[in-house]
Amino acid sequence: MSLALMKMWFALGSMGLMFLAVASIYLSRFKFQNRFLKIAVSSFAYMCMLISGIIVFFVVFSGPVNE
């Protein structure tokens, strides 16, 4: 697998993490009534968003791939 293809899969994975974060925040704010469950799900969502941001930062600033 080439480096460019690996970067593409990492970027798609980070977009999936962002989608998971948005869905989790929606669930924690509007669907759950239990306070502990709200905190746990929103913490999971913010961790997903942080990880996806770090991945996107490294993918974008690593530069283009010479092939």
Side-chain angles (χ1 to χ4, degrees):
M1 187 181 308
S2 69
L3 181 62
L5 193 57
M6 284 195 304
K7 284 176 70 170
M8 180 199 72
W9 283 114
F10 274 109
L12 285 174
S14 71
M15 284 188 272
L17 279 174
M18 287 181 200
F19 176 76
L20 189 61
V22 169
S24 298
I25 286 294
Y26 175 78
L27 284 175
S28 72
R29 287 190 181 172
F30 299 114
K31 298 297 181 185
F32 293 143
Q33 299 300 321
N34 187 356
R35 184 163 173 82
F36 175 75
L37 196 57
K38 279 183 164 186
I39 292 171
V41 171
S42 64
S43 297
F44 170 74
Y46 288 122
M47 288 303 296
C48 285
M49 190 60 73
L50 179 71
I51 291 169
S52 67
I54 291 169
I55 291 171
V56 167
F57 179 79
F58 283 124
V59 166
V60 169
F61 288 111
S62 65
V65 177
N66 296 328
E67 289 193 25

